[in-house]
Amino acid sequence: MSESVPTEPLRLWGGRFEGGPADALAALSASVHFDWRLASYDLMGSRAHARVLNKAGLLDDDELAKMLAALDDLDNACRDGSFTPTVADEDVHTALERGLIERLGPLGGKLRAGRSRNDQVATDLRLFMRAHVRLLVQRLAELETALVDVADRHKDVAAPGMTHMQHAQPVLFAHHLLAHVQAFARDVERLYDWDARAAVSPLGAGALAGSSLPLDPVTTARELGFASSAANSIDAVSDRDFAAEFAFCAALIGVHLSRLGEEIVLWTTREFRWIELDDAFATGSSIMPQKKNPDVAELARGKSGRLVGNLTAILTMLKGLPLAYDRDLQEDKEPVFDSLDTLLVLLPAVTGMIATMRVDADRIASLAPEGYALATDVAEDLVRRGVPFREAHEAVGRLVAWCAAHNCDLTDVDDSALREISAHLTPEVRAVLSVRGALAARSARGGTAPERVGEQIAELRSRVAGHVEWSRAGSPAQ
Ligand code: ARG
């Protein structure tokens, strides 16, 4: 941002004021250092507004042509950096009006008719977010693909399934990885829902009551790729649900990344040794030469804190805020930008870490039956033979206690010991004491049977293809 202060700073509200604002107020009030990134969206709205003014007979055709040319020129100047805001520009709208007046003289001052920064800023932020959510979905789809690929490459690897972080029942390692993909797929589809609700144009609401000029908000909305224009001008300038809802979507993505990150941290430990991270996605220690640290996974865990914080900031700012526009609403942007920026830098790193990690399939599979993980299968086998589950649970519980006392596995108990532990435990129960059998038996929809997991991979691949397509279709306003 340029530090040069023009001799007479342009303000959008000077008329009734004597003298300029106090430096302390100007410093507090300024938002241009963060809302400048809305510039191209503000100009998009300006083009649409210029056309509507022309239709309303408030700009003649010649003026419209000059206005559109100047807006294009200003857009290019913003993009190539030859036009930048100064410290005297309060916000992006002020800076761009200055740029327009520099190009057009008094004609530049006509564009503001029927429009307020209140409807403008709400429109700009929606446009910006709708475009960037597409980018976010692209990054999410890449992560989904990386996880599905790892699952696909290790489709047959059994793993200990855990509850309470204790061995519970064997599952396919792929089934576990795909559970994370299911969460990210919901995140993407939640953003579709968000987009549908965000596709409402506030333009035309003016400060809060609409305009007495014969504008056409429906046409403006359509030109900007919105599905409709706001049904209530007060709501149009007061509503920041789209910011809060996006912050929630981002926070939940953060929480999902954090849960994945925590597992990666665990899986890389000496105690687990399930995976090894590629050198490119691990870091060393400045003192301990042997260390290889999972910083990407830890940052995924850590950054969820700020994502939840951004949601809290927006909700807290909105709570108790009277209708319609209040300056508090200016605080909507930084948390939204931060959540977006955080995810756009975090997701590629997590994706890279997942795509390049080495999975120790033999070690994971060797741990699958440990911790008496097949006990439930024995109990369910007894149920199939007509034993009430309550009794079956009790009998197998005693079997586990016996094994623990004799320091052996379920498979090591001989026939007579089985019979001694419980009359229900006939030698046939041994038939279910295999990890493969336990996996194959869970063949209902949603189960970990290899067949079902294969179908799940195919289902997710086609869902992810839809995600990529949605993100590539681009925001309607792009
Ligand atoms: N910078 C302001 C914001 O982000 C723009 C709207 C200012 N409106 C006003 N009435 N002061 O909310």
Side-chain angles (χ1 to χ4, degrees):
M1 193 182 304
S2 140
E3 291 292 316
S4 71
V5 184
T7 38
E8 262 190 68
L10 178 139
R11 276 195 306 278
L12 303 183
W13 43 268
R16 68 159 285 179
F17 288 81
E18 281 181 29
D23 289 348
L25 170 100
L28 171 67
S29 171
S31 59
V32 72
H33 53 288
F34 57 81
D35 65 19
W36 182 242
R37 62 196 289 186
L38 298 175
S40 61
Y41 301 92
D42 199 75
L43 290 165
M44 229 177 255
S46 290
R47 285 189 201 94
H49 187 63
R51 288 198 186 92
V52 156
L53 289 177
N54 171 251
K55 260 178 76 184
L58 300 166
L59 272 186
D60 65 31
D61 290 352
D62 180 50
E63 287 174 323
L64 175 66
K66 286 194 178 116
M67 184 76 80
L68 292 175
L71 288 168
D72 285 347
D73 183 58
L74 184 54
D75 206 353
N76 290 331
C78 292
R79 285 174 204 271
D80 70 19
S82 56
F83 182 83
T84 52
T86 73
V87 288
D89 293 320
E90 185 181 307
D91 55 23
V92 59
H93 323 291
T94 313
L96 292 175
E97 178 159 320
R98 178 172 61 78
L100 199 62
I101 286 168
E102 280 168 13
R103 281 161 179 74
L104 289 178
L107 173 59
K110 283 200 165 189
L111 186 63
R112 220 203 294 164
R115 195 168 66 156
S116 151
R117 282 183 292 170
N118 298 355
D119 58 348
Q120 221 176 321
V121 75
T123 306
D124 294 359
L125 190 56
R126 283 175 190 255
L127 288 171
F128 170 91
M129 289 170 72
R130 293 190 70 208
H132 285 79
V133 155
R134 267 75 185 169
L135 212 58
L136 184 54
V137 168
Q138 264 172 43
R139 299 290 89 85
L140 282 164
E142 285 157 10
L143 174 58
E144 292 176 294
T145 302
L147 283 162
V148 173
D149 285 348
V150 180
D152 210 352
R153 282 201 298 275
H154 301 92
K155 282 211 275 302
D156 301 320
V157 178
M162 300 192 188
T163 61
H164 311 267
M165 275 303 285
Q166 308 291 318
H167 282 224
Q169 293 171 349
V171 293
L172 282 181
F173 183 56
H175 195 50
H176 186 109
L177 292 173
L178 296 176
H180 286 290
V181 183
Q182 298 285 352
F184 292 120
R186 283 194 297 276
D187 288 335
V188 167
E189 289 155 21
R190 192 171 292 110
L191 288 169
Y192 294 180
D193 299 342
W194 171 86
D195 188 64
R197 266 187 299 282
V200 178
S201 169
L203 268 189
L208 82 162
S211 175
S212 65
L213 302 172
L215 304 177
D216 180 3
V218 177
T219 302
T220 324
R222 201 169 310 127
E223 187 175 329
L224 293 173
F226 289 111
S228 61
S229 86
N232 181 315
S233 61
I234 297 175
D235 181 47
V237 294
S238 315
D239 169 32
R240 290 297 183 277
D241 291 1
F242 65 96
E245 210 180 325
F246 169 76
F248 171 75
C249 295
L252 193 56
I253 294 168
V255 167
H256 291 153
L257 288 166
S258 167
R259 296 183 74 173
L260 174 64
E262 169 62 9
E263 291 194 336
I264 298 293
V265 169
L266 278 173
W267 295 349
T268 55
T269 58
R270 174 84 201 144
E271 286 68 25
F272 267 80
R273 276 182 285 130
W274 287 20
I275 59 169
E276 193 192 339
L277 298 182
D278 191 83
D279 283 359
F281 289 95
T283 54
S285 156
S286 51
I287 178 167
M288 298 164 282
Q290 85 285 7
K291 286 297 288 292
K292 187 166 178 184
N293 294 329
D295 288 28
V296 171
E298 292 170 288
L299 286 166
R301 208 172 49 189
K303 284 190 186 290
S304 62
R306 67 195 283 164
L307 293 164
V308 173
N310 288 336
L311 170 61
T312 308
I314 292 177
L315 289 175
T316 312
M317 179 273 285
L318 289 173
K319 181 190 167 297
L321 206 60
L323 306 180
Y325 180 86
D326 304 280
R327 193 61 183 276
D328 315 44
L329 290 171
Q330 179 167 296
E331 293 293 313
D332 60 353
K333 280 172 277 306
E334 285 167 293
V336 162
F337 293 156
D338 184 71
S339 287
L340 182 72
D341 294 342
T342 297
L343 287 175
L344 290 178
V345 76
L346 179 56
L347 283 163
V350 174
T351 301
M353 171 184 69
I354 297 290
T356 56
M357 69 188 189
R358 278 176 297 281
V359 174
D360 189 339
D362 293 340
R363 171 151 175 87
I364 298 176
S366 74
L367 296 169
E370 283 199 4
Y372 312 112
L374 295 168
T376 313
D377 290 77
V378 178
E380 288 181 356
D381 187 55
L382 299 186
V383 166
R384 272 193 296 273
R385 294 164 202 270
V387 180
F389 187 73
R390 196 184 151 77
E391 278 174 44
H393 189 284
E394 182 69 26
V396 180
R398 282 204 299 277
L399 172 62
V400 168
W402 193 94
C403 290
H406 292 79
N407 196 22
C408 70
D409 255 344
L410 298 177
T411 39
D412 300 330
V413 190
D414 66 23
D415 291 358
S416 68
L418 278 179
R419 217 171 310 112
E420 220 172 282
I421 294 164
S422 162
H424 294 312
L425 295 173
T426 57
E428 289 81 59
V429 297
R430 285 218 184 73
V432 299
L433 287 176
S434 95
V435 169
R436 287 286 135 205
L439 294 173
R442 286 163 173 79
S443 59
R445 174 162 169 81
T448 191
E451 237 186 306
R452 293 292 89 78
V453 171
E455 288 164 7
Q456 201 187 158
I457 289 175
E459 256 177 48
L460 282 168
R461 283 208 192 277
S462 91
R463 232 165 122 189
V464 174
H467 299 168
V468 172
E469 205 177 302
W470 189 86
S471 72
R472 292 227 179 105
S475 132
Q478 273 171 333

